[in-house]
Amino acid sequence: MSQWIEVSIQTTHEAAEPTAEIMRSVGASNGVVIEDPVLVNTLRNSGTWELCAIPEQENTEVVTIKAYYPDDAELRQRLAQIETEMAEMEARIGKCRFGNTRFRTVSEQDWANEWKQYFHVTHIGASLVIKPTWEQYAPQAGEHIIEIDPGMAFGTGTHHTTCMCMERLEKVLLPAMEVFDVGTGSGILAIAAAKLGAKSVKAVDIDATAVRVATENIAANDLAGCISVKQGDLLHGTEGQADVIIANIIADIIIMLLPDIPGKLKEGGTFLASGIIEGRCQDVADAAAKVGMHVDAVDTKGDWVVMQMSKEA
């Protein structure tokens, strides 16, 4: 039986997604786990998931990122690269780690079962349902089922930032609209847009592994004819204009992206910006105003924000 090394880093909420991206980019193709205590508490209290055996999380400021790597000749190089890239990120945004990186040896079977004890069928908004591939679920009338295997994808789509994007998509997306999904990751938002009736979706991610994983998830949902996935830096991997542009990234990257949004958005179009920690909401709003974008709505869950924007008249 194969042996894997579980690498665990404790970080801040805002640095959680970039940290996960670093760990994925060095070869965690079999999965990255984001253990967000705020999300766990929310789900415990919702009654939606079977989490009664998990205690109330007290230290809600610390998010734990776990990745799994084969215990082989490349392991030392992977770990060194993680440390280098984490140090470079902290040089840019400030200290964001709590304690030292932790390691644990697990068997292949142990690793596989880590996923299944936490992820169950989850309802989002009025009609979207995320269903792990190993679970049985009978769709109800009007529901859109998104099949995901978190053991083979980056994330499950159940984080506050992604949930809010999906809920906003239900409100703004009309049939035959064209959608751009920037930083698609697992492809979950691109899939949601297609399930909600988008005519076409162009998904883009800077990481080749994300492109591969998103492509696999899109195929699993029989949407390859509707969604295209390309490797590219932000909007540079897209052509033309869209009715809806989604960017579930982080505040700093959204601020970098904003100058390109007006030219890529059709008249009357909508930009959904998420992955924004609540304390950075005003920074993003200020950056949007500078490029002629108006904030039409703001949704908040936990410490996270999604912002709906349009071009100023």
Side-chain angles (χ1 to χ4, degrees):
M1 185 176 293
S2 301
Q3 295 293 317
W4 296 77
I5 300 299
E6 178 189 83
V7 180
S8 176
I9 296 177
Q10 293 185 317
T11 186
T12 61
H13 284 276
E14 188 167 16
E17 294 288 351
T19 299
E21 173 63 21
I22 288 171
M23 296 172 80
R24 180 166 61 91
S25 70
V26 302
S29 58
N30 287 320
V32 175
V33 183
I34 300 178
E35 295 182 354
D36 184 341
V38 174
L39 179 59
V40 171
N41 287 343
T42 300
L43 293 173
R44 283 184 80 259
N45 297 327
S46 70
T48 301
W49 285 12
E50 300 173 2
L51 293 174
C52 57
I54 298 178
E56 183 82 12
Q57 306 297 295
E58 296 182 357
N59 188 0
T60 57
E61 298 303 313
V62 179
V63 181
T64 302
I65 315 298
K66 295 179 180 179
Y68 300 87
Y69 304 97
D71 189 1
D72 58 17
E74 298 181 21
L75 178 62
R76 185 181 296 273
Q77 182 179 346
R78 295 182 198 275
L79 299 181
Q81 187 173 344
I82 290 172
E83 289 304 312
T84 297
E85 294 194 25
M86 287 297 297
E88 290 175 353
M89 181 174 71
E90 289 192 305
R92 295 193 304 270
I93 68 173
K95 182 174 174 56
C96 59
R97 281 188 283 184
F98 301 97
N100 298 322
T101 302
R102 300 176 183 178
F103 307 95
R104 181 169 70 98
T105 301
V106 295
S107 70
E108 189 170 281
Q109 186 62 39
D110 290 340
W111 171 82
N113 289 333
E114 287 284 335
W115 294 103
K116 296 184 179 181
Q117 64 179 315
Y118 295 114
F119 298 102
H120 302 281
V121 172
T122 304
H123 296 259
I124 297 177
S127 66
L128 293 169
V129 180
I130 297 176
K131 186 186 88 64
T133 55
W134 60 82
E135 292 210 345
Q136 298 297 317
Y137 178 75
Q140 304 299 306
E143 289 183 337
H144 303 291
I145 310 301
I146 300 172
E147 295 268 356
I148 289 290
D149 181 350
M152 294 299 293
F154 177 54
T156 61
T158 55
H159 191 274
H160 286 327
T161 59
T162 315
C163 290
M164 288 190 290
C165 276
M166 290 182 178
E167 291 165 355
R168 274 283 146 194
L169 277 173
E170 282 190 323
K171 296 175 181 178
V172 305
L173 193 61
L174 299 175
M177 281 187 168
E178 296 178 282
V179 177
F180 292 166
D181 180 17
V182 183
T184 193
S186 68
I188 188 76
L189 291 174
I191 293 168
K195 293 277 186 176
L196 289 169
K199 175 183 177 181
S200 68
V201 184
K202 295 179 181 179
V204 61
D205 201 291
I206 195 171
D207 182 69
T209 301
V211 172
R212 176 182 61 77
V213 170
T215 300
E216 292 172 355
N217 281 326
I218 289 162
N221 285 273
D222 297 320
L223 291 171
C226 174
I227 306 173
S228 63
V229 188
K230 294 177 66 175
Q231 185 174 3
D233 185 8
L234 300 180
L235 279 168
H236 299 155
T238 61
E239 297 177 357
Q241 293 180 312
D243 298 285
V244 178
I245 299 175
I246 314 163
N248 182 20
I249 317 176
I250 61 172
D252 288 330
I253 304 301
I254 288 170
I255 289 170
M256 290 173 55
L257 175 65
L258 272 166
D260 293 330
I261 294 294
K264 287 287 188 177
L265 201 60
K266 294 181 182 180
E267 291 301 319
T270 299
F271 176 44
L272 297 180
S274 191
I276 304 167
I277 202 77
E278 193 170 12
R280 299 299 306 282
C281 185
Q282 190 59 50
D283 294 339
V284 175
D286 291 343
K290 291 179 181 178
V291 299
M293 296 293 296
H294 180 265
V295 177
D296 301 313
V298 177
D299 296 332
T300 303
K301 281 187 180 180
D303 296 323
W304 297 95
V305 167
V306 61
M307 305 172 74
Q308 179 179 322
M309 307 181 197
S310 60
K311 291 193 283 190
E312 294 179 349

